[in-house]
Amino acid sequence: MADLTKPTPEPARPEAIKAVPVRHPGRWAAVAVIAVLTAMFVHMLVTNEKFQWSFLVDNAFRPNIIRGVWTTIALTVLAMVIGVLFGVVLAVMRLSDNPVLSGVAWLYTWFFRAVPRLVLAILFGNMGILYAKYRVGGVPFAGQLGDLMGVDIDGTLFTLDARTLLTGFMAGLLALALSEAAYMAEIVRAGILSVDPGQEEAAGALGMSRFQTMRRIILPQAMRVIVPPTGNETIAMLKDTSLVAYVPVTNELFFQLQAVGTRTFNVFPMLVAACIWYLILTSFLLVGQYFIERHFSRGSAAGQAKGLRAGRRETA
Amino acid sequence: MTEPTDPPEPTVPAGPAGPVEPAEPAADLMVRAEQVHKSFGRLEVLKGIDLEVRPGEVMCVVGPSGSGKSTFLRCINHLEKIDSGRLWVNGHLVGYRESGGKLYELRDREVAAQRREIGMVFQRFNLFPHMTALENIMEAPIRVKRLPKAGVRDRALALLARVGLDDKAQSYPAQLSGGQQQRVAIARALAMEPALMLFDEPTSALDPELVGDVLEAMKQLALDGMTMIVVTHEMGFAREVGDSLVFMDEGAVVEKGTPREVLADPKHQRTRDFLSKVL
Ligand SMILES: Nc1ncnc2c1ncn2[C@@H]1O[C@H](COP(=O)(O)OP(=O)(O)O)[C@@H](O)[C@H]1O
Ligand SMILES: [Mg+2]
């Protein structure tokens, strides 16, 4: 069967096939429809003066907006870094044989996945109500101990007003990072479980510790499963930073754009500006995700298909 | 593939005994198993194994699937805990410390230290897919023994040459054939300079034409005096390289002797039945 399709070795190469290609009338119809719709949309964008493009361009790059962009980026990066690191810890706890550890991790995940981020943001913004003052370095029963020894020990290194400790930024960051950790824990757990158990055995048989096995063998392989959904999480986080406006954090991108809009009674152009800003920032994230995915496909069939030898320098 | 060329001289010179602790029992043996029992839930997989392996000995273990061969190997390097009995490797009690007539479980770190003396080769290789062949071999000496990188690298390259793969140092496992992967796995285990090597059906997952290279590497290792326990169905290898042959069935050692004795003149009916199927 296979032999028939293979040309028998003969010197003259048969001429290239010239056949009439299959027509795709449906495809052409679709192109026509899409072209018309696109033209209508562009026409609307250009001619409808409610868009006020020149107002948008004048106002979308003001210094306070740029500061808002930086706040949004900082919140995204920090919340994701904390979320990923804490998520890894939670995932390892969850997979541990210790029922206390895995129970605590389960509870944490349950709580932070159940409560909406918007609610968390407002909740963390109002934390100051719980404690007016935080005692840092407070020793429990310090007073009683002091009584015993006949000296007056306060045991408190210094006190902080809750509102200074939990600035809006910190409260917003915590709300986002802690909730992200819950989602990341599930993603990391799926990644760890995707790695062949034979890998852990081989590492154990070589005398590697559990930590070394996790850090050097399991997690790098789990990354191939972890990175794509983490990219999604990062993009979702970028957009969810707009929720900290409710903490309230006022120097964040969306709040600033809206403020301009309300102040000048030009709400709509500023909403369009928000779309454009988020599109730009997300595009950068996508580029970053591409390179991270490429790095962790090292040694996999997909990695080889692209002819990749990423991470070679580690050998030398 | 592995034609049983007439055994030239099956006795391998006993290698030097590893570091021994004088107070421990069985110090002159590499492995000593005494009434080792192991169950998974209700299923009793090992029903009292008694075995002794001398330093430098190559012991081949055969038996039907499910007879507990893998489980026994895994007990030897404490990948499984035994339920009762005693198991010593190189003079150390596996997984426990005995003091004042009481057994204390070893910490993870102490178990890891014990495993460094034991190399293991798996049926499905279990190479680390995100590392090159060379990195696979270098990983444990660098991370576990904390040896300097340059020396480890030289030794790793020498080990690759020893298993005939000096040109594959920079290949990832996915770029290697099964036989090549298994030889890298052998080199990886040897890099920790173990006193004992365990092989769990090292050629069972290989295409027939790739089996020979792996068996050749193992034979070289045996000739160098390594103590080996080899679970295998390659009777040619057992006859040629093995010093002893153990037949296991249903979690028990049914028969043990030199490969020639057991293969030519099995004492038990169960051994005879099994051998008639595989030979
Ligand atoms: N982790 C485990 N949990 C439950 N049963 C197991 C486990 N490992 C092995 N077994 C069972 O123990 C028996 C012996 O298995 P094994 O030692 O792998 O046999 P062999 O290697 O001789 O084929 C089999 O019945 C197998 O199903
Ligand atoms: Mg087995």
Side-chain angles (χ1 to χ4, degrees):
Chain A
M1 179 63 206
D3 286 337
L4 290 179
T5 57
K6 272 197 191 122
T8 46
E10 57 184 311
R13 183 193 167 107
E15 63 177 299
I17 292 173
K18 292 192 204 82
V20 182
V22 177
R23 306 284 177 206
H24 299 284
R27 228 182 257 180
W28 286 108
V31 167
V33 171
I34 290 169
V36 169
L37 288 177
T38 311
M40 284 165 66
F41 183 65
V42 171
H43 181 256
M44 190 231 357
L45 285 184
V46 174
T47 56
N48 190 329
E49 66 256 22
K50 287 277 155 47
F51 278 103
Q52 304 199 55
W53 290 105
S54 60
F55 174 82
L56 188 154
V57 171
D58 288 345
N59 286 282
F61 305 98
R62 285 155 165 259
N64 59 330
I65 304 279
I66 300 295
R67 269 199 304 279
V69 169
W70 284 116
T71 307
T72 290
I73 292 175
L75 271 174
T76 307
V77 171
L78 289 174
M80 283 311 293
V81 168
I82 298 171
V84 168
L85 293 179
F86 194 23
V88 171
V89 173
L90 282 169
V92 172
M93 280 169 68
R94 184 76 197 279
L95 293 170
S96 141
D97 295 332
N98 183 332
V100 177
L101 287 185
S102 73
V104 167
W106 183 87
L107 253 168
Y108 180 96
T109 322
W110 169 75
F111 178 81
F112 279 97
R113 288 206 303 175
V115 180
R117 276 192 183 162
L118 177 58
V119 178
L120 282 177
I122 300 172
L123 188 70
F124 276 68
N126 289 286
M127 274 303 187
I129 293 169
L130 287 184
Y131 303 100
K133 297 202 185 241
Y134 283 104
R135 299 161 132 231
V136 178
V139 180
F141 310 116
Q144 288 87 327
L145 274 176
D147 286 347
L148 271 178
M149 292 180 276
V151 284
D152 182 32
I153 308 175
D154 185 11
T156 311
L157 296 181
F158 54 96
T159 53
L160 279 172
D161 190 324
R163 271 155 291 169
T164 16
L165 186 68
L166 269 187
T167 58
F169 184 86
M170 284 299 287
L173 175 61
L174 268 185
L176 294 176
L178 294 185
S179 122
E180 184 57 41
Y183 292 94
M184 284 310 301
E186 291 298 290
I187 291 172
V188 173
R189 190 167 71 103
I192 291 175
L193 290 176
S194 76
V195 178
D196 174 9
Q199 293 288 309
E200 189 179 347
E201 243 168 47
L206 286 167
M208 294 175 77
S209 70
R210 280 169 184 247
F211 180 80
Q212 284 172 330
T213 304
M214 190 50 78
R215 164 79 189 70
R216 298 282 309 167
I217 308 299
I218 310 285
L219 282 180
Q221 294 180 57
M223 280 310 229
R224 290 191 36 228
V225 172
I226 293 173
V227 169
T230 305
N232 279 341
E233 289 293 313
T234 312
I235 289 168
M237 178 59 76
L238 179 79
K239 297 182 290 185
D240 283 354
T241 53
S242 57
L243 296 176
V244 301
Y246 293 90
V247 167
V249 177
T250 49
N251 58 347
E252 165 272 333
L253 173 62
F254 184 58
F255 186 91
Q256 289 295 331
L257 286 166
Q258 259 194 325
V260 174
T262 351
R263 185 153 29 84
T264 58
F265 302 107
N266 276 319
V267 173
F268 193 73
M270 288 296 101
L271 289 177
V272 175
C275 291
I276 293 173
W277 265 117
Y278 285 115
L279 279 172
I280 294 171
L281 294 175
T282 304
S283 306
F284 279 112
L285 290 179
L286 288 175
V287 174
Q289 182 178 355
Y290 168 79
F291 284 104
I292 293 175
E293 272 180 31
R294 201 175 73 161
H295 175 77
F296 284 108
S297 66
R298 205 185 157 209
S300 72
Q304 268 131 39
K306 291 180 200 154
L308 288 174
R309 293 300 198 78
R312 256 302 190 64
R313 62 213 126 68
E314 287 168 29
T315 326
Chain B
M1 190 64 236
T2 54
E3 285 302 299
T5 52
D6 228 1
E9 184 48 76
T11 46
V12 171
V20 278
E21 286 182 8
E24 294 280 317
D28 53 337
L29 290 171
M30 184 58 76
V31 179
R32 177 158 164 222
E34 243 180 44
Q35 280 302 302
V36 169
H37 285 79
K38 171 73 192 173
S39 301
F40 291 112
R42 289 238 208 87
L43 178 70
E44 191 172 29
V45 176
L46 299 180
K47 301 171 182 164
I49 303 281
D50 289 301
L51 271 181
E52 292 181 352
V53 183
R54 287 174 286 103
E57 181 174 343
V58 177
M59 175 185 280
C60 293
V61 180
V62 300
S65 174
S67 56
K69 308 181 296 293
S70 299
T71 304
F72 182 58
L73 284 194
R74 293 161 53 80
C75 288
I76 291 178
N77 69 357
H78 209 53
L79 286 172
E80 302 285 358
K81 262 188 203 154
I82 63 176
D83 300 329
S84 60
R86 292 283 188 281
L87 195 49
W88 290 270
V89 171
N90 214 359
H92 305 292
L93 196 57
V94 174
Y96 302 93
R97 187 169 2 96
E98 198 162 21
S99 127
K102 255 188 165 175
L103 282 187
Y104 297 90
E105 264 186 42
L106 293 185
R107 296 164 193 285
D108 283 351
R109 179 186 308 197
E110 296 165 311
V111 171
Q114 282 193 339
R115 286 183 183 150
R116 279 167 227 168
E117 301 198 330
I118 306 169
M120 183 147 187
V121 175
F122 300 87
Q123 183 172 354
R124 289 185 309 116
F125 331 134
N126 295 353
L127 288 182
F128 306 135
H130 57 303
M131 298 181 182
T132 63
L134 189 64
E135 288 168 336
N136 262 278
I137 300 172
M138 292 169 64
E139 179 69 12
I142 289 176
R143 303 283 157 185
V144 178
K145 287 192 169 174
R146 306 204 176 278
L147 297 175
K149 218 167 182 180
V152 169
R153 191 186 159 85
D154 291 343
R155 250 188 65 76
L157 287 170
L159 281 168
L160 272 176
R162 187 161 153 197
V163 295
L165 291 172
D166 20 1
D167 53 334
K168 298 292 183 190
Q170 301 302 337
S171 301
Y172 285 95
Q175 298 165 321
L176 299 173
S177 77
Q180 292 168 334
Q181 288 189 53
Q182 193 60 297
R183 283 182 282 154
V184 173
I186 293 173
R188 178 176 71 174
L190 291 176
M192 289 299 280
E193 305 188 301
L196 168 70
M197 285 283 284
L198 309 175
F199 294 83
D200 192 359
E201 304 200 28
T203 57
S204 298
L206 298 179
D207 290 337
E209 77 272 18
L210 302 176
V211 169
D213 290 337
V214 173
L215 291 181
E216 184 55 36
M218 290 167 61
K219 182 178 162 189
Q220 282 309 318
L221 193 56
L223 291 176
D224 291 344
M226 177 62 74
T227 315
M228 297 163 57
I229 303 181
V230 185
V231 173
T232 184
H233 294 298
E234 298 289 336
M235 294 304 165
F237 177 86
R239 200 186 327 236
E240 187 188 349
V241 183
D243 299 311
S244 53
L245 182 63
V246 168
F247 173 66
M248 270 180 74
D249 193 14
E250 295 183 353
V253 172
V254 175
E255 192 156 349
K256 184 187 170 180
T258 67
R260 255 195 258 209
E261 284 167 8
V262 176
L263 291 176
D265 182 22
K267 301 275 182 294
H268 293 260
Q269 186 57 41
R270 276 196 281 173
T271 319
R272 255 172 258 149
D273 292 345
F274 175 75
L275 290 178
S276 70
K277 280 181 213 143
V278 294
L279 283 181

